[in-house]
Amino acid sequence: MKKISPVSRSGRFARGPGADVVQFTESVSFDWRLWRHDILGSLAHAAMLRKIGVLSKAEEIAIIRGLDQIGREIATGKFKWKPELEDVHMNIESELTKRIPAGAKLHTGRSRNDQVALDLRLWLRDEIVLLLGEIAGLQRALVSLGGKNTGVLIPGYTHLQRAQPVHLAHHLLAYVEMLERDCERLWDCHSRVNVCPLGSGAIAGSTLPLDRMLVAKLLGFVDVNGKPQLTQNSMDAVSDRDFAVEFCAAAALLAVHLSRLAEDVILWASIEFNFIKIADAYTTGSSLMPQKKNPDIAELARGKTGRVFGNLMSLLTLLKGLPMTYNRDLQEDKERLFDTTDTVRATTRLMAAMLRNTKINRAACDRAASDPALLATDLADYLVRKGMPFRQAHHTVGAVVTLAEKSGKPLNQLTLAELKSVDKQFGRDALGVFDLQRAMAKRNLTGAPGTKEVAKQLARWREQLS
Ligand code: ARG
């Protein structure tokens, strides 16, 4: 086989690299994914080179045609990637130059250092938008599940012990809030991804009169007012991967939220809770135990969190000791970034699909929520309304709970006489506290799990997500 020497070695090097070196240093086996964005960047660069007179009109047209043809071949799987040419950038450029002489002018004023920074930013920008779409889908699935089950109450838990009753929708909307913060963080990250590094060259810009503004505008690197966003320091621009770290950090927190949701789903799907039933298509069986239906999607969502955290740590470690500016170490950023985007996007999508195919077991929820002990705090509030200091009320209700336990009765079955034996201030209306519907009507503070407030929040989210 004839050895192909990368263009970066022609002139200076006597021969191409050895096979083991090629294998160790290549990145095309994974960075080929950037091809669409690499071509977009080259088209904008070519348009700019034409404007400043480096390319003739005919040369620009030939380059556009050539890149378009290569793009079609890649999309249909016909393009032959060559590891000897290292990466996606050199594969495309070298193929273009083979086909079109003007291809040799395309790299004018450009280095792979600013090119790869550009491609990554363009790629990540699209990925963020796609991920935001998936997150909105999951939010909608949560709102819809809550909306379909209005009136369903469950115990809210602290320390995984039954605490106070909440509407199921309130519990689900807690995740909608978390996911909304994830969206805000991702949009914030997007604003720093959306800055054009092209024109920074290898490290020190170019002596040619490149029109950076034009490239930025052509590639949509503009703020909300349409103002082009350019990196302001060529050394920073070629070695900066903060935007990738920021994305991986935001994704790690998203993964935390997905994992917590997964954990609730896993608990709720157990016979012990039995609050939900996940449709067969979204559960798996056991190879040994015929009765099993396992919530594997949720378990994998929880499990995949590990790699998302790991990717963030890898990126931080990759960057911490790098001297200025570009170092080949940076090639290691891609697989970590790709893995994080793939993982959180798929997990978000699958969690949404699973929730859309999950039914609430109302009877089991009702049974759990009707535990009168959940309203012990309401009984203390009753005494507070009678003028008792809360600390004393807390102590008094504690004694009532002990009495109920000793007499083997649920809290709401105690007689007025029994209540009065603990404290004289208990009146006839005391047992009314255990009316669950009334108890839920009273919880009407902003953000509280009361019936009216939850309906209001559901309506707010429906509107916001429509
Ligand atoms: N494959 C390289 C990367 O992903 C592209 C930039 C290479 N630049 C260089 N001077 N070797 O980082």
Side-chain angles (χ1 to χ4, degrees), residues 285-321:
S286 154
S287 57
L288 189 145
M289 299 166 283
Q291 86 284 12
K292 289 294 286 290
K293 244 198 229 170
N294 298 326
D296 290 31
I297 293 177
E299 291 170 82
L300 282 167
R302 189 177 56 185
K304 284 178 187 293
T305 311
R307 60 205 278 171
V308 177
F309 291 2
N311 290 337
L312 171 62
M313 208 40 70
S314 295
L315 279 193
L316 289 168
T317 311
L318 178 67
L319 296 174
K320 79 175 255 298

PDB file of all heavy atoms in Angstrom, residues 285-321:
ATOM      1  N   GLY A 285     -37.439  -8.213  31.395  1.00  0.00           N
ATOM      2  CA  GLY A 285     -37.661  -9.389  32.235  1.00  0.00           C
ATOM      3  C   GLY A 285     -36.355  -9.913  32.784  1.00  0.00           C
ATOM      4  O   GLY A 285     -35.278  -9.403  32.486  1.00  0.00           O
ATOM      5  N   SER A 286     -36.477 -10.928  33.610  1.00  0.00           N
ATOM      6  CA  SER A 286     -35.285 -11.592  34.146  1.00  0.00           C
ATOM      7  C   SER A 286     -35.080 -12.873  33.355  1.00  0.00           C
ATOM      8  O   SER A 286     -36.042 -13.524  32.951  1.00  0.00           O
ATOM      9  CB  SER A 286     -35.504 -11.898  35.625  1.00  0.00           C
ATOM     10  OG  SER A 286     -34.709 -12.993  36.022  1.00  0.00           O
ATOM     11  N   SER A 287     -33.821 -13.257  33.139  1.00  0.00           N
ATOM     12  CA  SER A 287     -33.547 -14.482  32.388  1.00  0.00           C
ATOM     13  C   SER A 287     -33.838 -15.705  33.250  1.00  0.00           C
ATOM     14  O   SER A 287     -33.975 -16.810  32.754  1.00  0.00           O
ATOM     15  CB  SER A 287     -32.100 -14.491  31.920  1.00  0.00           C
ATOM     16  OG  SER A 287     -31.244 -14.370  33.030  1.00  0.00           O
ATOM     17  N   LEU A 288     -33.938 -15.516  34.550  1.00  0.00           N
ATOM     18  CA  LEU A 288     -34.182 -16.654  35.428  1.00  0.00           C
ATOM     19  C   LEU A 288     -35.549 -16.608  36.094  1.00  0.00           C
ATOM     20  O   LEU A 288     -36.293 -17.576  36.091  1.00  0.00           O
ATOM     21  CB  LEU A 288     -33.059 -16.701  36.482  1.00  0.00           C
ATOM     22  CG  LEU A 288     -33.038 -17.957  37.369  1.00  0.00           C
ATOM     23  CD1 LEU A 288     -31.620 -18.356  37.699  1.00  0.00           C
ATOM     24  CD2 LEU A 288     -33.823 -17.761  38.662  1.00  0.00           C
ATOM     25  N   MET A 289     -35.918 -15.430  36.644  1.00  0.00           N
ATOM     26  CA  MET A 289     -37.158 -15.371  37.436  1.00  0.00           C
ATOM     27  C   MET A 289     -38.318 -14.927  36.560  1.00  0.00           C
ATOM     28  O   MET A 289     -38.395 -13.778  36.145  1.00  0.00           O
ATOM     29  CB  MET A 289     -36.958 -14.386  38.604  1.00  0.00           C
ATOM     30  CG  MET A 289     -35.844 -14.816  39.535  1.00  0.00           C
ATOM     31  SD  MET A 289     -35.335 -13.490  40.636  1.00  0.00           S
ATOM     32  CE  MET A 289     -34.353 -12.468  39.567  1.00  0.00           C
ATOM     33  N   PRO A 290     -39.240 -15.839  36.275  1.00  0.00           N
ATOM     34  CA  PRO A 290     -40.302 -15.535  35.306  1.00  0.00           C
ATOM     35  C   PRO A 290     -41.228 -14.406  35.743  1.00  0.00           C
ATOM     36  O   PRO A 290     -41.877 -13.790  34.907  1.00  0.00           O
ATOM     37  CB  PRO A 290     -41.076 -16.856  35.214  1.00  0.00           C
ATOM     38  CG  PRO A 290     -40.298 -17.868  35.963  1.00  0.00           C
ATOM     39  CD  PRO A 290     -39.335 -17.181  36.847  1.00  0.00           C
ATOM     40  N   GLN A 291     -41.324 -14.145  37.027  1.00  0.00           N
ATOM     41  CA  GLN A 291     -42.296 -13.147  37.492  1.00  0.00           C
ATOM     42  C   GLN A 291     -41.785 -11.710  37.366  1.00  0.00           C
ATOM     43  O   GLN A 291     -42.537 -10.765  37.488  1.00  0.00           O
ATOM     44  CB  GLN A 291     -42.673 -13.428  38.960  1.00  0.00           C
ATOM     45  CG  GLN A 291     -41.775 -12.827  40.031  1.00  0.00           C
ATOM     46  CD  GLN A 291     -40.430 -13.552  40.228  1.00  0.00           C
ATOM     47  OE1 GLN A 291     -40.031 -14.386  39.427  1.00  0.00           O
ATOM     48  NE2 GLN A 291     -39.718 -13.201  41.272  1.00  0.00           N
ATOM     49  N   LYS A 292     -40.474 -11.555  37.075  1.00  0.00           N
ATOM     50  CA  LYS A 292     -39.870 -10.224  37.182  1.00  0.00           C
ATOM     51  C   LYS A 292     -40.219  -9.276  36.037  1.00  0.00           C
ATOM     52  O   LYS A 292     -40.300  -9.671  34.883  1.00  0.00           O
ATOM     53  CB  LYS A 292     -38.338 -10.336  37.227  1.00  0.00           C
ATOM     54  CG  LYS A 292     -37.789 -10.911  38.504  1.00  0.00           C
ATOM     55  CD  LYS A 292     -38.020 -10.033  39.716  1.00  0.00           C
ATOM     56  CE  LYS A 292     -37.139  -8.819  39.754  1.00  0.00           C
ATOM     57  NZ  LYS A 292     -35.747  -9.124  40.016  1.00  0.00           N
ATOM     58  N   LYS A 293     -40.431  -8.013  36.409  1.00  0.00           N
ATOM     59  CA  LYS A 293     -40.520  -6.925  35.436  1.00  0.00           C
ATOM     60  C   LYS A 293     -39.647  -5.832  36.006  1.00  0.00           C
ATOM     61  O   LYS A 293     -39.938  -5.282  37.066  1.00  0.00           O
ATOM     62  CB  LYS A 293     -41.964  -6.451  35.320  1.00  0.00           C
ATOM     63  CG  LYS A 293     -42.546  -6.694  33.973  1.00  0.00           C
ATOM     64  CD  LYS A 293     -43.764  -5.843  33.782  1.00  0.00           C
ATOM     65  CE  LYS A 293     -44.902  -6.689  33.271  1.00  0.00           C
ATOM     66  NZ  LYS A 293     -46.142  -5.921  33.307  1.00  0.00           N
ATOM     67  N   ASN A 294     -38.565  -5.554  35.334  1.00  0.00           N
ATOM     68  CA  ASN A 294     -37.564  -4.663  35.931  1.00  0.00           C
ATOM     69  C   ASN A 294     -37.555  -3.281  35.289  1.00  0.00           C
ATOM     70  O   ASN A 294     -37.702  -3.161  34.072  1.00  0.00           O
ATOM     71  CB  ASN A 294     -36.181  -5.301  35.802  1.00  0.00           C
ATOM     72  CG  ASN A 294     -36.085  -6.613  36.556  1.00  0.00           C
ATOM     73  OD1 ASN A 294     -36.694  -6.770  37.607  1.00  0.00           O
ATOM     74  ND2 ASN A 294     -35.339  -7.558  36.004  1.00  0.00           N
ATOM     75  N   PRO A 295     -37.349  -2.245  36.094  1.00  0.00           N
ATOM     76  CA  PRO A 295     -37.323  -0.876  35.546  1.00  0.00           C
ATOM     77  C   PRO A 295     -35.944  -0.517  35.006  1.00  0.00           C
ATOM     78  O   PRO A 295     -35.310   0.435  35.470  1.00  0.00           O
ATOM     79  CB  PRO A 295     -37.692  -0.024  36.767  1.00  0.00           C
ATOM     80  CG  PRO A 295     -37.133  -0.787  37.931  1.00  0.00           C
ATOM     81  CD  PRO A 295     -37.192  -2.248  37.566  1.00  0.00           C
ATOM     82  N   ASP A 296     -35.474  -1.278  34.009  1.00  0.00           N
ATOM     83  CA  ASP A 296     -34.087  -1.126  33.552  1.00  0.00           C
ATOM     84  C   ASP A 296     -33.758   0.245  32.971  1.00  0.00           C
ATOM     85  O   ASP A 296     -32.623   0.707  33.080  1.00  0.00           O
ATOM     86  CB  ASP A 296     -33.747  -2.193  32.497  1.00  0.00           C
ATOM     87  CG  ASP A 296     -33.672  -3.578  33.115  1.00  0.00           C
ATOM     88  OD1 ASP A 296     -34.398  -3.816  34.095  1.00  0.00           O
ATOM     89  OD2 ASP A 296     -32.890  -4.405  32.616  1.00  0.00           O
ATOM     90  N   ILE A 297     -34.735   0.892  32.344  1.00  0.00           N
ATOM     91  CA  ILE A 297     -34.434   2.213  31.766  1.00  0.00           C
ATOM     92  C   ILE A 297     -34.021   3.154  32.886  1.00  0.00           C
ATOM     93  O   ILE A 297     -33.010   3.857  32.793  1.00  0.00           O
ATOM     94  CB  ILE A 297     -35.652   2.779  31.010  1.00  0.00           C
ATOM     95  CG1 ILE A 297     -35.933   1.910  29.781  1.00  0.00           C
ATOM     96  CG2 ILE A 297     -35.423   4.232  30.609  1.00  0.00           C
ATOM     97  CD1 ILE A 297     -37.148   2.340  29.004  1.00  0.00           C
ATOM     98  N   ALA A 298     -34.811   3.134  33.950  1.00  0.00           N
ATOM     99  CA  ALA A 298     -34.501   4.019  35.081  1.00  0.00           C
ATOM    100  C   ALA A 298     -33.170   3.625  35.730  1.00  0.00           C
ATOM    101  O   ALA A 298     -32.369   4.489  36.095  1.00  0.00           O
ATOM    102  CB  ALA A 298     -35.639   3.976  36.098  1.00  0.00           C
ATOM    103  N   GLU A 299     -32.927   2.320  35.832  1.00  0.00           N
ATOM    104  CA  GLU A 299     -31.662   1.891  36.439  1.00  0.00           C
ATOM    105  C   GLU A 299     -30.462   2.335  35.603  1.00  0.00           C
ATOM    106  O   GLU A 299     -29.440   2.774  36.134  1.00  0.00           O
ATOM    107  CB  GLU A 299     -31.646   0.366  36.606  1.00  0.00           C
ATOM    108  CG  GLU A 299     -32.624  -0.120  37.654  1.00  0.00           C
ATOM    109  CD  GLU A 299     -32.763  -1.627  37.627  1.00  0.00           C
ATOM    110  OE1 GLU A 299     -31.907  -2.296  38.217  1.00  0.00           O
ATOM    111  OE2 GLU A 299     -33.710  -2.131  36.997  1.00  0.00           O
ATOM    112  N   LEU A 300     -30.602   2.229  34.280  1.00  0.00           N
ATOM    113  CA  LEU A 300     -29.497   2.663  33.419  1.00  0.00           C
ATOM    114  C   LEU A 300     -29.335   4.176  33.462  1.00  0.00           C
ATOM    115  O   LEU A 300     -28.218   4.690  33.432  1.00  0.00           O
ATOM    116  CB  LEU A 300     -29.721   2.180  31.984  1.00  0.00           C
ATOM    117  CG  LEU A 300     -29.374   0.701  31.804  1.00  0.00           C
ATOM    118  CD1 LEU A 300     -29.891   0.179  30.469  1.00  0.00           C
ATOM    119  CD2 LEU A 300     -27.866   0.479  31.897  1.00  0.00           C
ATOM    120  N   ALA A 301     -30.456   4.891  33.570  1.00  0.00           N
ATOM    121  CA  ALA A 301     -30.375   6.353  33.691  1.00  0.00           C
ATOM    122  C   ALA A 301     -29.558   6.694  34.938  1.00  0.00           C
ATOM    123  O   ALA A 301     -28.697   7.578  34.914  1.00  0.00           O
ATOM    124  CB  ALA A 301     -31.772   6.952  33.792  1.00  0.00           C
ATOM    125  N   ARG A 302     -29.809   5.962  36.005  1.00  0.00           N
ATOM    126  CA  ARG A 302     -29.066   6.178  37.253  1.00  0.00           C
ATOM    127  C   ARG A 302     -27.603   5.761  37.063  1.00  0.00           C
ATOM    128  O   ARG A 302     -26.687   6.465  37.461  1.00  0.00           O
ATOM    129  CB  ARG A 302     -29.741   5.364  38.361  1.00  0.00           C
ATOM    130  CG  ARG A 302     -29.261   5.622  39.755  1.00  0.00           C
ATOM    131  CD  ARG A 302     -30.063   4.802  40.759  1.00  0.00           C
ATOM    132  NE  ARG A 302     -30.030   3.363  40.449  1.00  0.00           N
ATOM    133  CZ  ARG A 302     -30.725   2.437  41.109  1.00  0.00           C
ATOM    134  NH1 ARG A 302     -31.529   2.788  42.111  1.00  0.00           N
ATOM    135  NH2 ARG A 302     -30.634   1.174  40.779  1.00  0.00           N
ATOM    136  N   GLY A 303     -27.410   4.632  36.412  1.00  0.00           N
ATOM    137  CA  GLY A 303     -26.053   4.107  36.242  1.00  0.00           C
ATOM    138  C   GLY A 303     -25.186   4.950  35.320  1.00  0.00           C
ATOM    139  O   GLY A 303     -23.990   5.106  35.556  1.00  0.00           O
ATOM    140  N   LYS A 304     -25.789   5.497  34.280  1.00  0.00           N
ATOM    141  CA  LYS A 304     -25.008   6.257  33.301  1.00  0.00           C
ATOM    142  C   LYS A 304     -24.484   7.575  33.865  1.00  0.00           C
ATOM    143  O   LYS A 304     -23.621   8.219  33.268  1.00  0.00           O
ATOM    144  CB  LYS A 304     -25.841   6.515  32.037  1.00  0.00           C
ATOM    145  CG  LYS A 304     -25.975   5.279  31.146  1.00  0.00           C
ATOM    146  CD  LYS A 304     -26.841   5.563  29.939  1.00  0.00           C
ATOM    147  CE  LYS A 304     -27.125   4.311  29.138  1.00  0.00           C
ATOM    148  NZ  LYS A 304     -25.933   3.743  28.480  1.00  0.00           N
ATOM    149  N   THR A 305     -25.024   7.973  34.984  1.00  0.00           N
ATOM    150  CA  THR A 305     -24.541   9.194  35.632  1.00  0.00           C
ATOM    151  C   THR A 305     -23.035   9.118  35.858  1.00  0.00           C
ATOM    152  O   THR A 305     -22.331  10.117  35.719  1.00  0.00           O
ATOM    153  CB  THR A 305     -25.264   9.360  36.987  1.00  0.00           C
ATOM    154  OG1 THR A 305     -26.653   9.201  36.759  1.00  0.00           O
ATOM    155  CG2 THR A 305     -25.027  10.718  37.582  1.00  0.00           C
ATOM    156  N   GLY A 306     -22.544   7.928  36.165  1.00  0.00           N
ATOM    157  CA  GLY A 306     -21.121   7.750  36.458  1.00  0.00           C
ATOM    158  C   GLY A 306     -20.233   8.207  35.317  1.00  0.00           C
ATOM    159  O   GLY A 306     -19.263   8.932  35.521  1.00  0.00           O
ATOM    160  N   ARG A 307     -20.586   7.806  34.081  1.00  0.00           N
ATOM    161  CA  ARG A 307     -19.708   8.193  32.974  1.00  0.00           C
ATOM    162  C   ARG A 307     -19.794   9.697  32.695  1.00  0.00           C
ATOM    163  O   ARG A 307     -18.819  10.317  32.279  1.00  0.00           O
ATOM    164  CB  ARG A 307     -19.991   7.366  31.735  1.00  0.00           C
ATOM    165  CG  ARG A 307     -21.401   7.493  31.220  1.00  0.00           C
ATOM    166  CD  ARG A 307     -21.807   6.300  30.435  1.00  0.00           C
ATOM    167  NE  ARG A 307     -21.324   6.390  29.068  1.00  0.00           N
ATOM    168  CZ  ARG A 307     -21.398   5.383  28.196  1.00  0.00           C
ATOM    169  NH1 ARG A 307     -21.911   4.233  28.578  1.00  0.00           N
ATOM    170  NH2 ARG A 307     -20.969   5.523  26.983  1.00  0.00           N
ATOM    171  N   VAL A 308     -20.980  10.275  32.942  1.00  0.00           N
ATOM    172  CA  VAL A 308     -21.127  11.718  32.698  1.00  0.00           C
ATOM    173  C   VAL A 308     -20.265  12.507  33.705  1.00  0.00           C
ATOM    174  O   VAL A 308     -19.596  13.481  33.336  1.00  0.00           O
ATOM    175  CB  VAL A 308     -22.611  12.138  32.767  1.00  0.00           C
ATOM    176  CG1 VAL A 308     -22.771  13.634  32.583  1.00  0.00           C
ATOM    177  CG2 VAL A 308     -23.417  11.380  31.705  1.00  0.00           C
ATOM    178  N   PHE A 309     -20.256  12.066  34.950  1.00  0.00           N
ATOM    179  CA  PHE A 309     -19.376  12.709  35.948  1.00  0.00           C
ATOM    180  C   PHE A 309     -17.916  12.498  35.544  1.00  0.00           C
ATOM    181  O   PHE A 309     -17.090  13.401  35.614  1.00  0.00           O
ATOM    182  CB  PHE A 309     -19.561  12.084  37.337  1.00  0.00           C
ATOM    183  CG  PHE A 309     -20.886  12.357  37.996  1.00  0.00           C
ATOM    184  CD1 PHE A 309     -21.871  13.092  37.369  1.00  0.00           C
ATOM    185  CD2 PHE A 309     -21.146  11.868  39.271  1.00  0.00           C
ATOM    186  CE1 PHE A 309     -23.092  13.328  37.975  1.00  0.00           C
ATOM    187  CE2 PHE A 309     -22.354  12.101  39.885  1.00  0.00           C
ATOM    188  CZ  PHE A 309     -23.334  12.827  39.242  1.00  0.00           C
ATOM    189  N   GLY A 310     -17.615  11.267  35.132  1.00  0.00           N
ATOM    190  CA  GLY A 310     -16.236  10.923  34.759  1.00  0.00           C
ATOM    191  C   GLY A 310     -15.747  11.777  33.601  1.00  0.00           C
ATOM    192  O   GLY A 310     -14.599  12.242  33.608  1.00  0.00           O
ATOM    193  N   ASN A 311     -16.617  12.013  32.627  1.00  0.00           N
ATOM    194  CA  ASN A 311     -16.216  12.831  31.474  1.00  0.00           C
ATOM    195  C   ASN A 311     -15.856  14.247  31.903  1.00  0.00           C
ATOM    196  O   ASN A 311     -14.895  14.837  31.394  1.00  0.00           O
ATOM    197  CB  ASN A 311     -17.344  12.874  30.446  1.00  0.00           C
ATOM    198  CG  ASN A 311     -17.553  11.535  29.758  1.00  0.00           C
ATOM    199  OD1 ASN A 311     -16.636  10.710  29.712  1.00  0.00           O
ATOM    200  ND2 ASN A 311     -18.743  11.303  29.250  1.00  0.00           N
ATOM    201  N   LEU A 312     -16.612  14.793  32.834  1.00  0.00           N
ATOM    202  CA  LEU A 312     -16.310  16.140  33.339  1.00  0.00           C
ATOM    203  C   LEU A 312     -14.932  16.133  34.008  1.00  0.00           C
ATOM    204  O   LEU A 312     -14.097  17.016  33.765  1.00  0.00           O
ATOM    205  CB  LEU A 312     -17.397  16.583  34.335  1.00  0.00           C
ATOM    206  CG  LEU A 312     -17.116  17.861  35.114  1.00  0.00           C
ATOM    207  CD1 LEU A 312     -16.984  19.067  34.180  1.00  0.00           C
ATOM    208  CD2 LEU A 312     -18.224  18.129  36.145  1.00  0.00           C
ATOM    209  N   MET A 313     -14.698  15.120  34.823  1.00  0.00           N
ATOM    210  CA  MET A 313     -13.416  15.036  35.527  1.00  0.00           C
ATOM    211  C   MET A 313     -12.266  14.861  34.536  1.00  0.00           C
ATOM    212  O   MET A 313     -11.203  15.450  34.698  1.00  0.00           O
ATOM    213  CB  MET A 313     -13.488  13.854  36.513  1.00  0.00           C
ATOM    214  CG  MET A 313     -12.613  13.968  37.728  1.00  0.00           C
ATOM    215  SD  MET A 313     -12.542  15.598  38.444  1.00  0.00           S
ATOM    216  CE  MET A 313     -14.175  15.748  39.106  1.00  0.00           C
ATOM    217  N   SER A 314     -12.497  14.062  33.492  1.00  0.00           N
ATOM    218  CA  SER A 314     -11.463  13.867  32.467  1.00  0.00           C
ATOM    219  C   SER A 314     -11.094  15.194  31.808  1.00  0.00           C
ATOM    220  O   SER A 314      -9.914  15.489  31.615  1.00  0.00           O
ATOM    221  CB  SER A 314     -11.957  12.922  31.371  1.00  0.00           C
ATOM    222  OG  SER A 314     -12.168  11.651  31.886  1.00  0.00           O
ATOM    223  N   LEU A 315     -12.104  15.972  31.461  1.00  0.00           N
ATOM    224  CA  LEU A 315     -11.838  17.246  30.783  1.00  0.00           C
ATOM    225  C   LEU A 315     -11.074  18.197  31.686  1.00  0.00           C
ATOM    226  O   LEU A 315     -10.114  18.842  31.268  1.00  0.00           O
ATOM    227  CB  LEU A 315     -13.147  17.912  30.347  1.00  0.00           C
ATOM    228  CG  LEU A 315     -13.802  17.428  29.064  1.00  0.00           C
ATOM    229  CD1 LEU A 315     -14.888  18.401  28.635  1.00  0.00           C
ATOM    230  CD2 LEU A 315     -12.787  17.282  27.941  1.00  0.00           C
ATOM    231  N   LEU A 316     -11.501  18.283  32.932  1.00  0.00           N
ATOM    232  CA  LEU A 316     -10.819  19.186  33.866  1.00  0.00           C
ATOM    233  C   LEU A 316      -9.357  18.771  34.016  1.00  0.00           C
ATOM    234  O   LEU A 316      -8.443  19.613  33.996  1.00  0.00           O
ATOM    235  CB  LEU A 316     -11.512  19.165  35.233  1.00  0.00           C
ATOM    236  CG  LEU A 316     -12.892  19.838  35.289  1.00  0.00           C
ATOM    237  CD1 LEU A 316     -13.606  19.490  36.594  1.00  0.00           C
ATOM    238  CD2 LEU A 316     -12.752  21.351  35.156  1.00  0.00           C
ATOM    239  N   THR A 317      -9.137  17.464  34.134  1.00  0.00           N
ATOM    240  CA  THR A 317      -7.776  16.950  34.309  1.00  0.00           C
ATOM    241  C   THR A 317      -6.941  17.199  33.055  1.00  0.00           C
ATOM    242  O   THR A 317      -5.770  17.561  33.131  1.00  0.00           O
ATOM    243  CB  THR A 317      -7.826  15.440  34.622  1.00  0.00           C
ATOM    244  OG1 THR A 317      -8.780  15.232  35.659  1.00  0.00           O
ATOM    245  CG2 THR A 317      -6.476  14.923  35.066  1.00  0.00           C
ATOM    246  N   LEU A 318      -7.594  17.026  31.898  1.00  0.00           N
ATOM    247  CA  LEU A 318      -6.925  17.245  30.615  1.00  0.00           C
ATOM    248  C   LEU A 318      -6.374  18.661  30.518  1.00  0.00           C
ATOM    249  O   LEU A 318      -5.289  18.896  30.005  1.00  0.00           O
ATOM    250  CB  LEU A 318      -7.964  17.004  29.509  1.00  0.00           C
ATOM    251  CG  LEU A 318      -7.549  17.212  28.063  1.00  0.00           C
ATOM    252  CD1 LEU A 318      -6.526  16.177  27.665  1.00  0.00           C
ATOM    253  CD2 LEU A 318      -8.771  17.093  27.152  1.00  0.00           C
ATOM    254  N   LEU A 319      -7.121  19.616  31.036  1.00  0.00           N
ATOM    255  CA  LEU A 319      -6.772  21.027  30.844  1.00  0.00           C
ATOM    256  C   LEU A 319      -5.818  21.571  31.904  1.00  0.00           C
ATOM    257  O   LEU A 319      -5.091  22.534  31.639  1.00  0.00           O
ATOM    258  CB  LEU A 319      -8.050  21.886  30.859  1.00  0.00           C
ATOM    259  CG  LEU A 319      -9.046  21.614  29.728  1.00  0.00           C
ATOM    260  CD1 LEU A 319     -10.319  22.410  29.938  1.00  0.00           C
ATOM    261  CD2 LEU A 319      -8.421  21.959  28.375  1.00  0.00           C
ATOM    262  N   LYS A 320      -5.821  20.970  33.086  1.00  0.00           N
ATOM    263  CA  LYS A 320      -5.210  21.669  34.220  1.00  0.00           C
ATOM    264  C   LYS A 320      -3.716  21.945  34.071  1.00  0.00           C
ATOM    265  O   LYS A 320      -3.227  22.936  34.584  1.00  0.00           O
ATOM    266  CB  LYS A 320      -5.473  20.911  35.534  1.00  0.00           C
ATOM    267  CG  LYS A 320      -4.581  19.711  35.753  1.00  0.00           C
ATOM    268  CD  LYS A 320      -4.836  19.101  37.119  1.00  0.00           C
ATOM    269  CE  LYS A 320      -3.742  19.400  38.116  1.00  0.00           C
ATOM    270  NZ  LYS A 320      -2.441  18.884  37.745  1.00  0.00           N
ATOM    271  N   GLY A 321      -2.982  21.096  33.359  1.00  0.00           N
ATOM    272  CA  GLY A 321      -1.535  21.321  33.306  1.00  0.00           C
ATOM    273  C   GLY A 321      -1.044  21.833  31.968  1.00  0.00           C
ATOM    274  O   GLY A 321       0.155  21.848  31.716  1.00  0.00           O
TER     275      GLY A 321
END
